[in-house]
Amino acid sequence: METIILLAIAVSLAYGVGCMGRKRKIGFGLAFAISLFNVVIGLIAVLCSKKIENVEPKEKED
């Protein structure tokens, strides 16, 4: 029972780090995969990754 709880906590933390990676060049998938291996290393990788520049399309003027 303890193992399942610890596994759920680890996956939850990895998901959180993956969500942080969405707005960075590393992306959700890679951040989540690294965090499943080790959450601290995944967090460091996400924080070292560059942010994605948000380019918004210009609205058409009539």
Side-chain angles (χ1 to χ4, degrees):
M1 187 66 181
E2 300 168 356
T3 307
I4 294 172
I5 293 171
L6 291 176
L7 182 63
I9 291 170
V11 171
S12 300
L13 289 173
Y15 179 76
V17 174
C19 288
M20 289 176 62
R22 282 184 188 162
K23 296 181 181 177
R24 300 196 176 250
K25 292 205 175 195
I26 194 170
F28 175 84
L30 187 57
F32 181 73
I34 293 172
S35 296
L36 281 177
F37 175 69
N38 188 329
V39 174
V40 176
I41 293 174
L43 185 61
I44 291 170
V46 167
L47 294 177
C48 290
S49 177
K50 292 184 179 182
K51 289 184 179 179
I52 295 175
E53 294 180 18
N54 208 3
V55 179
E56 295 182 19
K58 295 182 181 179
E59 294 182 18
K60 293 182 182 179
E61 294 181 18
D62 291 331

PDB file of all heavy atoms in Angstrom, residues 1-23:
ATOM      1  N   MET A   1       0.821  -1.191   0.000  1.00  0.00           N
ATOM      2  CA  MET A   1       0.000   0.000   0.000  1.00  0.00           C
ATOM      3  C   MET A   1       0.863   1.251   0.000  1.00  0.00           C
ATOM      4  O   MET A   1       0.552   2.230  -0.669  1.00  0.00           O
ATOM      5  CB  MET A   1      -0.924  -0.048   1.230  1.00  0.00           C
ATOM      6  CG  MET A   1      -1.934   1.033   1.254  1.00  0.00           C
ATOM      7  SD  MET A   1      -3.092   0.807  -0.102  1.00  0.00           S
ATOM      8  CE  MET A   1      -4.134   2.172   0.131  1.00  0.00           C
ATOM      9  N   GLU A   2       1.951   1.226   0.766  1.00  0.00           N
ATOM     10  CA  GLU A   2       2.858   2.373   0.821  1.00  0.00           C
ATOM     11  C   GLU A   2       3.472   2.646  -0.542  1.00  0.00           C
ATOM     12  O   GLU A   2       3.642   3.802  -0.936  1.00  0.00           O
ATOM     13  CB  GLU A   2       3.986   2.116   1.827  1.00  0.00           C
ATOM     14  CG  GLU A   2       3.530   1.880   3.228  1.00  0.00           C
ATOM     15  CD  GLU A   2       4.667   1.355   4.094  1.00  0.00           C
ATOM     16  OE1 GLU A   2       5.765   1.121   3.586  1.00  0.00           O
ATOM     17  OE2 GLU A   2       4.429   1.181   5.293  1.00  0.00           O
ATOM     18  N   THR A   3       3.801   1.593  -1.243  1.00  0.00           N
ATOM     19  CA  THR A   3       4.434   1.727  -2.543  1.00  0.00           C
ATOM     20  C   THR A   3       3.510   2.423  -3.536  1.00  0.00           C
ATOM     21  O   THR A   3       3.958   3.279  -4.310  1.00  0.00           O
ATOM     22  CB  THR A   3       4.820   0.340  -3.095  1.00  0.00           C
ATOM     23  OG1 THR A   3       5.593  -0.354  -2.115  1.00  0.00           O
ATOM     24  CG2 THR A   3       5.616   0.469  -4.364  1.00  0.00           C
ATOM     25  N   ILE A   4       2.242   2.105  -3.494  1.00  0.00           N
ATOM     26  CA  ILE A   4       1.279   2.727  -4.410  1.00  0.00           C
ATOM     27  C   ILE A   4       1.141   4.215  -4.103  1.00  0.00           C
ATOM     28  O   ILE A   4       1.081   5.042  -5.017  1.00  0.00           O
ATOM     29  CB  ILE A   4      -0.091   2.013  -4.314  1.00  0.00           C
ATOM     30  CG1 ILE A   4       0.047   0.582  -4.827  1.00  0.00           C
ATOM     31  CG2 ILE A   4      -1.150   2.770  -5.092  1.00  0.00           C
ATOM     32  CD1 ILE A   4      -1.167  -0.275  -4.618  1.00  0.00           C
ATOM     33  N   ILE A   5       1.129   4.556  -2.824  1.00  0.00           N
ATOM     34  CA  ILE A   5       1.023   5.962  -2.435  1.00  0.00           C
ATOM     35  C   ILE A   5       2.258   6.729  -2.875  1.00  0.00           C
ATOM     36  O   ILE A   5       2.157   7.837  -3.439  1.00  0.00           O
ATOM     37  CB  ILE A   5       0.794   6.089  -0.915  1.00  0.00           C
ATOM     38  CG1 ILE A   5      -0.574   5.522  -0.550  1.00  0.00           C
ATOM     39  CG2 ILE A   5       0.909   7.541  -0.456  1.00  0.00           C
ATOM     40  CD1 ILE A   5      -0.829   5.400   0.928  1.00  0.00           C
ATOM     41  N   LEU A   6       3.432   6.163  -2.666  1.00  0.00           N
ATOM     42  CA  LEU A   6       4.668   6.824  -3.077  1.00  0.00           C
ATOM     43  C   LEU A   6       4.747   6.957  -4.596  1.00  0.00           C
ATOM     44  O   LEU A   6       5.211   7.982  -5.121  1.00  0.00           O
ATOM     45  CB  LEU A   6       5.885   6.069  -2.548  1.00  0.00           C
ATOM     46  CG  LEU A   6       6.084   6.136  -1.033  1.00  0.00           C
ATOM     47  CD1 LEU A   6       7.260   5.259  -0.621  1.00  0.00           C
ATOM     48  CD2 LEU A   6       6.292   7.565  -0.578  1.00  0.00           C
ATOM     49  N   LEU A   7       4.269   5.956  -5.307  1.00  0.00           N
ATOM     50  CA  LEU A   7       4.247   6.007  -6.759  1.00  0.00           C
ATOM     51  C   LEU A   7       3.296   7.102  -7.244  1.00  0.00           C
ATOM     52  O   LEU A   7       3.613   7.848  -8.170  1.00  0.00           O
ATOM     53  CB  LEU A   7       3.842   4.650  -7.337  1.00  0.00           C
ATOM     54  CG  LEU A   7       3.831   4.537  -8.852  1.00  0.00           C
ATOM     55  CD1 LEU A   7       5.237   4.734  -9.412  1.00  0.00           C
ATOM     56  CD2 LEU A   7       3.289   3.191  -9.272  1.00  0.00           C
ATOM     57  N   ALA A   8       2.143   7.216  -6.601  1.00  0.00           N
ATOM     58  CA  ALA A   8       1.183   8.262  -6.965  1.00  0.00           C
ATOM     59  C   ALA A   8       1.759   9.646  -6.705  1.00  0.00           C
ATOM     60  O   ALA A   8       1.576  10.570  -7.516  1.00  0.00           O
ATOM     61  CB  ALA A   8      -0.113   8.071  -6.181  1.00  0.00           C
ATOM     62  N   ILE A   9       2.477   9.817  -5.615  1.00  0.00           N
ATOM     63  CA  ILE A   9       3.115  11.100  -5.313  1.00  0.00           C
ATOM     64  C   ILE A   9       4.179  11.417  -6.347  1.00  0.00           C
ATOM     65  O   ILE A   9       4.273  12.545  -6.840  1.00  0.00           O
ATOM     66  CB  ILE A   9       3.698  11.091  -3.884  1.00  0.00           C
ATOM     67  CG1 ILE A   9       2.569  11.065  -2.861  1.00  0.00           C
ATOM     68  CG2 ILE A   9       4.597  12.309  -3.656  1.00  0.00           C
ATOM     69  CD1 ILE A   9       3.028  10.825  -1.439  1.00  0.00           C
ATOM     70  N   ALA A  10       4.993  10.425  -6.723  1.00  0.00           N
ATOM     71  CA  ALA A  10       6.057  10.637  -7.700  1.00  0.00           C
ATOM     72  C   ALA A  10       5.489  11.017  -9.066  1.00  0.00           C
ATOM     73  O   ALA A  10       5.985  11.938  -9.726  1.00  0.00           O
ATOM     74  CB  ALA A  10       6.922   9.385  -7.818  1.00  0.00           C
ATOM     75  N   VAL A  11       4.430  10.340  -9.486  1.00  0.00           N
ATOM     76  CA  VAL A  11       3.809  10.650 -10.776  1.00  0.00           C
ATOM     77  C   VAL A  11       3.153  12.024 -10.734  1.00  0.00           C
ATOM     78  O   VAL A  11       3.224  12.789 -11.708  1.00  0.00           O
ATOM     79  CB  VAL A  11       2.789   9.552 -11.176  1.00  0.00           C
ATOM     80  CG1 VAL A  11       1.995   9.967 -12.387  1.00  0.00           C
ATOM     81  CG2 VAL A  11       3.521   8.239 -11.444  1.00  0.00           C
ATOM     82  N   SER A  12       2.565  12.383  -9.602  1.00  0.00           N
ATOM     83  CA  SER A  12       1.953  13.710  -9.465  1.00  0.00           C
ATOM     84  C   SER A  12       2.993  14.814  -9.558  1.00  0.00           C
ATOM     85  O   SER A  12       2.774  15.834 -10.223  1.00  0.00           O
ATOM     86  CB  SER A  12       1.223  13.824  -8.127  1.00  0.00           C
ATOM     87  OG  SER A  12       0.220  12.870  -8.029  1.00  0.00           O
ATOM     88  N   LEU A  13       4.121  14.632  -8.905  1.00  0.00           N
ATOM     89  CA  LEU A  13       5.200  15.621  -8.975  1.00  0.00           C
ATOM     90  C   LEU A  13       5.757  15.709 -10.390  1.00  0.00           C
ATOM     91  O   LEU A  13       6.043  16.801 -10.896  1.00  0.00           O
ATOM     92  CB  LEU A  13       6.307  15.270  -7.978  1.00  0.00           C
ATOM     93  CG  LEU A  13       5.960  15.473  -6.506  1.00  0.00           C
ATOM     94  CD1 LEU A  13       7.069  14.927  -5.628  1.00  0.00           C
ATOM     95  CD2 LEU A  13       5.706  16.932  -6.204  1.00  0.00           C
ATOM     96  N   ALA A  14       5.910  14.561 -11.046  1.00  0.00           N
ATOM     97  CA  ALA A  14       6.407  14.551 -12.421  1.00  0.00           C
ATOM     98  C   ALA A  14       5.430  15.258 -13.350  1.00  0.00           C
ATOM     99  O   ALA A  14       5.836  15.985 -14.265  1.00  0.00           O
ATOM    100  CB  ALA A  14       6.642  13.113 -12.884  1.00  0.00           C
ATOM    101  N   TYR A  15       4.133  15.086 -13.117  1.00  0.00           N
ATOM    102  CA  TYR A  15       3.121  15.778 -13.919  1.00  0.00           C
ATOM    103  C   TYR A  15       3.221  17.290 -13.713  1.00  0.00           C
ATOM    104  O   TYR A  15       3.108  18.063 -14.662  1.00  0.00           O
ATOM    105  CB  TYR A  15       1.721  15.279 -13.549  1.00  0.00           C
ATOM    106  CG  TYR A  15       0.623  15.972 -14.318  1.00  0.00           C
ATOM    107  CD1 TYR A  15       0.373  15.639 -15.640  1.00  0.00           C
ATOM    108  CD2 TYR A  15      -0.140  16.966 -13.734  1.00  0.00           C
ATOM    109  CE1 TYR A  15      -0.626  16.275 -16.352  1.00  0.00           C
ATOM    110  CE2 TYR A  15      -1.138  17.610 -14.437  1.00  0.00           C
ATOM    111  CZ  TYR A  15      -1.379  17.261 -15.751  1.00  0.00           C
ATOM    112  OH  TYR A  15      -2.356  17.905 -16.461  1.00  0.00           O
ATOM    113  N   GLY A  16       3.444  17.704 -12.477  1.00  0.00           N
ATOM    114  CA  GLY A  16       3.605  19.130 -12.187  1.00  0.00           C
ATOM    115  C   GLY A  16       4.794  19.731 -12.904  1.00  0.00           C
ATOM    116  O   GLY A  16       4.709  20.819 -13.478  1.00  0.00           O
ATOM    117  N   VAL A  17       5.903  19.019 -12.902  1.00  0.00           N
ATOM    118  CA  VAL A  17       7.093  19.490 -13.616  1.00  0.00           C
ATOM    119  C   VAL A  17       6.826  19.482 -15.117  1.00  0.00           C
ATOM    120  O   VAL A  17       7.238  20.391 -15.835  1.00  0.00           O
ATOM    121  CB  VAL A  17       8.332  18.637 -13.259  1.00  0.00           C
ATOM    122  CG1 VAL A  17       9.530  19.030 -14.104  1.00  0.00           C
ATOM    123  CG2 VAL A  17       8.667  18.785 -11.780  1.00  0.00           C
ATOM    124  N   GLY A  18       6.113  18.483 -15.596  1.00  0.00           N
ATOM    125  CA  GLY A  18       5.752  18.432 -17.016  1.00  0.00           C
ATOM    126  C   GLY A  18       4.904  19.624 -17.427  1.00  0.00           C
ATOM    127  O   GLY A  18       5.090  20.197 -18.500  1.00  0.00           O
ATOM    128  N   CYS A  19       3.973  20.013 -16.563  1.00  0.00           N
ATOM    129  CA  CYS A  19       3.137  21.194 -16.855  1.00  0.00           C
ATOM    130  C   CYS A  19       3.984  22.457 -16.915  1.00  0.00           C
ATOM    131  O   CYS A  19       3.713  23.351 -17.711  1.00  0.00           O
ATOM    132  CB  CYS A  19       2.048  21.336 -15.802  1.00  0.00           C
ATOM    133  SG  CYS A  19       0.760  20.095 -15.957  1.00  0.00           S
ATOM    134  N   MET A  20       5.002  22.526 -16.081  1.00  0.00           N
ATOM    135  CA  MET A  20       5.914  23.679 -16.145  1.00  0.00           C
ATOM    136  C   MET A  20       6.670  23.682 -17.471  1.00  0.00           C
ATOM    137  O   MET A  20       6.993  24.741 -17.998  1.00  0.00           O
ATOM    138  CB  MET A  20       6.918  23.631 -14.985  1.00  0.00           C
ATOM    139  CG  MET A  20       6.325  23.912 -13.640  1.00  0.00           C
ATOM    140  SD  MET A  20       7.533  23.728 -12.313  1.00  0.00           S
ATOM    141  CE  MET A  20       8.722  24.955 -12.746  1.00  0.00           C
ATOM    142  N   GLY A  21       6.957  22.499 -17.993  1.00  0.00           N
ATOM    143  CA  GLY A  21       7.710  22.378 -19.238  1.00  0.00           C
ATOM    144  C   GLY A  21       6.911  22.740 -20.476  1.00  0.00           C
ATOM    145  O   GLY A  21       7.478  22.931 -21.545  1.00  0.00           O
ATOM    146  N   ARG A  22       5.591  22.840 -20.365  1.00  0.00           N
ATOM    147  CA  ARG A  22       4.754  23.187 -21.522  1.00  0.00           C
ATOM    148  C   ARG A  22       5.129  24.517 -22.137  1.00  0.00           C
ATOM    149  O   ARG A  22       5.070  24.686 -23.344  1.00  0.00           O
ATOM    150  CB  ARG A  22       3.287  23.260 -21.115  1.00  0.00           C
ATOM    151  CG  ARG A  22       2.625  21.953 -20.967  1.00  0.00           C
ATOM    152  CD  ARG A  22       1.163  22.141 -20.661  1.00  0.00           C
ATOM    153  NE  ARG A  22       0.568  20.853 -20.334  1.00  0.00           N
ATOM    154  CZ  ARG A  22      -0.567  20.719 -19.704  1.00  0.00           C
ATOM    155  NH1 ARG A  22      -1.240  21.777 -19.310  1.00  0.00           N
ATOM    156  NH2 ARG A  22      -1.039  19.524 -19.445  1.00  0.00           N
ATOM    157  N   LYS A  23       5.475  25.477 -21.305  1.00  0.00           N
ATOM    158  CA  LYS A  23       5.766  26.826 -21.781  1.00  0.00           C
ATOM    159  C   LYS A  23       7.248  27.030 -22.071  1.00  0.00           C
ATOM    160  O   LYS A  23       7.706  28.147 -22.231  1.00  0.00           O
ATOM    161  CB  LYS A  23       5.296  27.853 -20.753  1.00  0.00           C
ATOM    162  CG  LYS A  23       3.797  27.835 -20.550  1.00  0.00           C
ATOM    163  CD  LYS A  23       3.352  28.858 -19.554  1.00  0.00           C
ATOM    164  CE  LYS A  23       1.851  28.775 -19.363  1.00  0.00           C
ATOM    165  NZ  LYS A  23       1.379  29.703 -18.341  1.00  0.00           N
TER     166      LYS A  23
END
